[in-house]
């Protein structure tokens, strides 16, 4: 079967990166059944031939206008599709969509009419917001990392920056590789516009946001970096939980040690 990827190494590379990350999410136990979503802005990989491609299903109303996405193309995991299947057969479990010129609809152009991810409202709203700010964040990832979700089940970790400071203090590299920390969104219905809006509010201050009792959402220049940020934060959560399981509250790095790190790595305060 011919594919939109045929003869397009740049697009193929992006799709292969998505497939690689999808495999990691499954291996980590963060992607049960159809859990999690990935969208990547692939507009830069699109040639004239793709631009001429007709839609293979009727355009879908996005329920909102996203002006910065005019004519953009995204590769998205399909709704109800499994990450572990996306890993092995990305084009059968994902689709390439185009945002129409009215910025209010999307249409699927390849390779089969797989309806995109149920978290498309939050993903596209984030892409729109970031493009509007001129930020080069092409990838958005939503996943269910076990330890971070477990920690979101208590009010004390949902207060602003409590978890950020705790996770940074578990291992020096966490702040270095996730210097903006972890935003918090109180529980909202999965896939809802309210969840999308609450997530947007976090983007000025954070690249990764924890959705209470649900999962995380990360944005980054590419999908591998989005995965790395969540991986680094979840590793810190695992260290905290392991210490608690050994029967003690971990000390965490001291304020002086954090300060020394922040200075040495030239990190924001
Ligand atoms: O796509 O994880 O939040 C499945 C989800 C929705
Ligand atoms: Zn989810």
């Amino acid at each position: 079967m011919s594919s939109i990827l045929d003869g397009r190494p740049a697009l193929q590379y992006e799709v292969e990166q998505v497939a690689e990350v999808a495999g990691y999410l499954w291996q980590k136990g963060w992607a049960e059944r159809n859990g999690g979503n990935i969208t990547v802005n692939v507009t830069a990989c699109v040639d004239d031939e793709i631009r001429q491609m007709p839609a293979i299903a009727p355009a879908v109303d996005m329920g909102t206008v996203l002006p910065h996405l005019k004519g953009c193309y995204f590769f998205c995991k399909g709704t109800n599709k499994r990450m572990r299947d996306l890993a092995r057969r990305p084009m059968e479990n994902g689709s390439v969509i185009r945002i129409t010129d009215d910025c209010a609809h999307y249409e699927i152009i390849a390779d089969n009419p797989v309806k995109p991810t149920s978290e498309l409202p939050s993903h596209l709203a984030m892409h729109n917001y970031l493009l509007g700010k001129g930020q080069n964040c092409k990838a958005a990832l939503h996943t269910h990392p076990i330890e971070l979700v477990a920690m979101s089940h208590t009010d004390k970790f949902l207060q602003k920056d409590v978890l950020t400071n705790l996770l940074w203090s578990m291992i020096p590299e966490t702040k270095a590789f996730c210097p903006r920390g972890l935003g918090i969104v109180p529980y909202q219905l999965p896939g809802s516009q309210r969840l999308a809006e609450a997530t947007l509010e976090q983007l000025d201050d954070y690249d990764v946001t924890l959705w209470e009792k649900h999962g995380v959402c990360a944005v980054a220049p590419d999908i591998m970096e989005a995965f790395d940020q969540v991986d680094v934060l979840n590793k810190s959560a695992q260290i905290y939980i392991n210490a608690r399981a050994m029967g003690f509250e971990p000390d965490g790095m001291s304020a002086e040690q954090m300060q020394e790190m922040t200075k040495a790595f030239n990190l924001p305060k």
Side-chain angles (χ1 to χ4, degrees):
M1 198 179 93
S2 75
S3 164
I4 197 170
L5 302 181
D6 292 346
R8 295 189 174 89
L11 185 57
Q12 184 161 0
Y13 176 79
E14 295 295 331
V15 171
E16 281 170 3
Q17 294 285 104
V18 168
E20 187 174 332
V21 165
Y24 298 153
L25 300 176
W26 166 249
Q27 285 159 13
K28 284 191 161 284
W30 298 353
E32 71 291 346
R33 199 178 180 277
N34 63 325
N37 299 293
I38 294 176
T39 54
V40 177
N41 186 337
V42 293
T43 314
C45 311
V46 159
D47 52 31
D48 284 346
E49 202 182 329
I50 294 183
R51 288 181 192 282
Q52 307 301 323
M53 280 182 173
I56 58 176
V60 178
D61 188 347
M62 298 193 289
T64 181
V65 178
L66 301 171
H68 302 292
L69 299 189
K70 184 174 178 171
C72 280
Y73 291 74
F74 292 89
F75 179 68
C76 315
K77 177 174 106 46
T79 192
N80 285 327
K81 299 294 183 186
R82 294 173 171 84
M83 282 292 177
R84 62 182 191 263
D85 294 335
L86 187 69
R88 288 174 300 150
R89 295 186 301 273
M91 290 314 294
E92 284 172 38
N93 294 279
S95 49
V96 176
I97 65 166
R98 168 167 59 216
I99 310 298
T100 54
D101 283 351
D102 65 2
C103 305
H105 297 76
Y106 71 81
E107 51 195 19
I108 303 170
I109 61 157
D111 269 346
N112 50 57
V114 175
K115 192 169 172 272
T117 164
S118 61
E119 296 293 358
L120 198 66
S122 56
H123 281 237
L124 291 183
M126 289 191 299
H127 286 292
N128 181 64
Y129 185 78
L130 293 164
L131 273 175
K133 285 182 52 167
Q135 276 189 29
N136 174 36
C137 277
K138 290 204 173 63
L141 165 68
H142 163 58
T143 187
H144 302 163
I146 301 164
E147 289 79 5
L148 286 173
V149 176
M151 291 182 85
S152 79
H153 279 259
T154 177
D155 219 34
K156 81 170 175 180
F157 291 142
L158 298 174
Q159 305 310 308
K160 188 172 167 56
D161 292 336
V162 168
L163 209 42
T164 292
N165 287 311
L166 177 73
L167 297 174
W168 278 350
S169 80
M170 286 298 104
I171 175 169
E173 278 87 345
T174 305
K175 188 171 181 185
F177 297 129
C178 197
R180 304 214 309 156
L182 185 61
I184 305 282
V185 166
Y187 184 83
Q188 296 288 356
L189 184 71
S192 65
Q193 204 60 44
R194 284 198 315 269
L195 179 58
E197 282 159 19
T199 307
L200 277 193
E201 285 171 19
Q202 301 298 308
L203 286 184
D204 284 338
D205 299 322
Y206 306 98
D207 296 322
V208 189
T209 299
L210 181 61
W211 291 348
E212 179 184 346
K213 301 181 184 112
H214 180 169
V216 299
C217 195
V219 295
D222 62 54
I223 192 61
M224 207 55 79
E225 283 187 46
F227 169 77
D228 281 338
Q229 294 225 11
V230 180
D231 193 27
V232 161
L233 288 166
N234 198 66
K235 172 69 169 275
S236 282
Q238 287 176 315
I239 292 168
Y240 176 80
I241 291 167
N242 273 273
R244 292 296 305 252
M246 286 187 284
F248 61 89
E249 177 75 24
D251 292 339
M253 293 161 60
S254 68
E256 291 72 37
Q257 289 166 343
M258 285 305 302
Q259 229 168 24
E260 184 191 36
M261 253 294 296
T262 303
K263 231 173 116 184
F265 283 68
N266 220 353
L267 304 172
K269 294 206 174 58

